[in-house]
Amino acid sequence: MQASCQCGSLTAEIQDGAEPIVVACHCRDCQKRSGSPFGTMAYFPEDYVAVGGKAREFSRPTDSGNTFTTGFCPACGSTLYGKASGFPGIVGVTLGTIGEASLPPPMRSVYEQSRLPWVVMPAETQGFVRGRNGERTR
Ligand SMILES: [Zn+2]
Ligand SMILES: [Zn+2]
């Protein structure tokens, strides 16, 4: 699978064989980062993901005291990848830059405390008020 930003200068090549874990996040930071109601990334072991081109990175603290770093294209601004310091060795690639319909629906939907009321997640998606270790919404 191939991911690319809007202008095409930042890419990622994702090797076959890894089971992606898709997570939708409705936190205010992901809303602002993506400019959308929620952010969605497919997470892979980092050995499966080769980023090509130049990214700029932005890091922010998370609720759990870790750091979440996103990589975006300095030319067009698309976020292409994300890494959580609490999950070393795992990299998330934004679903929109992959554009692959065969990816599974989100396994988890987190930070539903700020989910817009009209956003409905699939029935099989686990919902959480905040992070994955906390209170469930369903
Ligand atoms: Zn770009
Ligand atoms: Zn988030």
Side-chain angles (χ1 to χ4, degrees), residues 29-115:
D29 287 324
C30 286
Q31 290 173 339
K32 291 185 181 195
R33 171 188 65 69
S34 65
S36 298
F38 56 96
T40 313
M41 292 196 187
Y43 289 88
F44 300 90
E46 67 183 358
D47 293 351
Y48 284 79
V49 179
V51 174
K54 220 186 205 29
R56 272 190 69 187
E57 293 192 341
F58 175 74
S59 295
R60 59 176 168 82
T62 67
D63 272 9
S64 50
N66 291 309
T67 302
F68 195 77
T69 300
T70 49
F72 60 94
C73 173
C76 73
S78 301
T79 306
L80 192 105
Y81 64 85
K83 296 175 189 178
S85 64
F87 299 95
I90 303 292
V91 59
V93 182
T94 51
L95 232 60
T97 61
I98 302 174
E100 172 58 65
S102 66
L103 281 168
M107 175 179 283
R108 285 187 289 276
S109 169
V110 298
Y111 288 86
E112 292 203 339
Q113 63 183 9
S114 46
R115 177 175 56 82

Side-chain angles (χ1 to χ4, degrees), residues 4-10 72-78:
S4 61
C5 66
Q6 289 179 92
C7 76
S9 61
L10 180 60
F72 60 94
C73 173
C76 73
S78 301

